[in-house]
Amino acid sequence: MADKLSVQHLLGIKNLVPDDIKLIFETADTFKDVINRPIKKVPSMRDVTVANIFFENSTRTRLSFELAEKRLSADVVNFSASSSSVSKGETLIDTVNNILAMKVDMVVMRHPKPGAALFLSKHIRASVINAGDGTHEHPTQALLDAFSIREKLGRVEGVNVVIVGDILHSRVALSNILCLKMLGAHVKVCGPPTLIPRHIESLGVTVEHNLKKALEWCDVANMLRIQSERQEIRYFPSIREYTMQYGLDRNVLDSIDKQIVIMHPGPINRGVEVSSSVADSPNSIILDQVENGVAIRMAVLYLLAQTRGFEQ
Ligand code: CP
């Protein structure tokens, strides 16, 4: 296995090769040990400065990147569009160039427009990490999801994973499909026909519209949020009707003849895609996903810094 990533930016899972993912997982294993020690900090990125620039709201991704950077001893600056000069008309490139003029080495960016991270990477010299670009990709979420499956089941290869819900608007769905397929998992998507993109089978997945059948097939169910903020039209009659067909509650879980692992990238709409009795059940690894997010993001930051020769 290679000891360096094949990329200088993390723009999407589609830019990675399987060896990159294996290297990220092995590095994250080491960092997971670090963050469970009494002293949770290593000097690996001392003297590296990282800017977290978020043009869209975030809780998990933003906090876990910041924590990952601090655990690696990097200097961190945070930028939020809502409290910045973007509201006065400053462009993305001008905003970022001003941040880079302050000698920033790496940029973690979330943006509502698909392709924003790629665009940025072509205009600046710093490494860019895509923390979610519109409906396109969310690569670190897919990496932490696959890492969490590997941790729970001991492998990803051969595991049956169903991704349920708003596949059409979900960057988590696309990045998960690409990552899981690269690691040899079997992937199915499940949801109302209006929320499943046409030709999605070309990504090597199968489609099932019946939740119970999908659950009976799978080892892992990744329950996605309905992305109301990205929906310009109504894709189903009502939230209540969606929940009746695609919501996962204790009754549905008890009606299948096997134990399955429940995942959710967050934020959860409790009582819509999952009930509290499922989200908080022993089947759920939702908080393990959050914990693993820090280790995975430490690994990505550290390995990208290595490709640029920043690290100590
Ligand atoms: N999973 C995820 O991206 O959550 P946030 O939007 O809170 O970062």
Side-chain angles (χ1 to χ4, degrees), residues 10 19 58 69 71 145 159 162 178 184 194 213 242 244 281 286 311:
L10 179 59
D19 267 1
S58 168
E69 291 146 9
R71 300 277 190 247
D145 288 344
V159 172
V162 64
L178 298 174
T194 48
K213 281 189 188 163
Y242 176 84
M244 280 167 64
S281 70
I286 294 172
E311 93 289 7

Side-chain angles (χ1 to χ4, degrees), residues 136-176:
H136 180 221
E137 279 225 40
H138 191 351
T140 55
Q141 180 69 46
L143 290 166
L144 74 89
D145 288 344
F147 184 81
S148 301
I149 293 171
R150 169 182 173 266
E151 182 180 73
K152 181 73 179 174
L153 300 178
R155 69 197 160 92
V156 179
E157 190 172 1
V159 172
N160 290 349
V161 182
V162 64
I163 306 173
V164 181
D166 184 358
I167 312 298
L168 185 65
H169 299 97
S170 173
R171 55 194 175 212
V172 174
L174 179 59
S175 288
N176 258 270

Side-chain angles (χ1 to χ4, degrees), residues 29-45:
D29 285 335
T30 308
F31 286 134
K32 187 149 183 191
D33 290 342
V34 169
I35 59 180
N36 282 301
R37 292 196 311 227
I39 296 172
K40 300 174 171 54
K41 216 162 168 155
V42 286
S44 312
M45 285 178 65

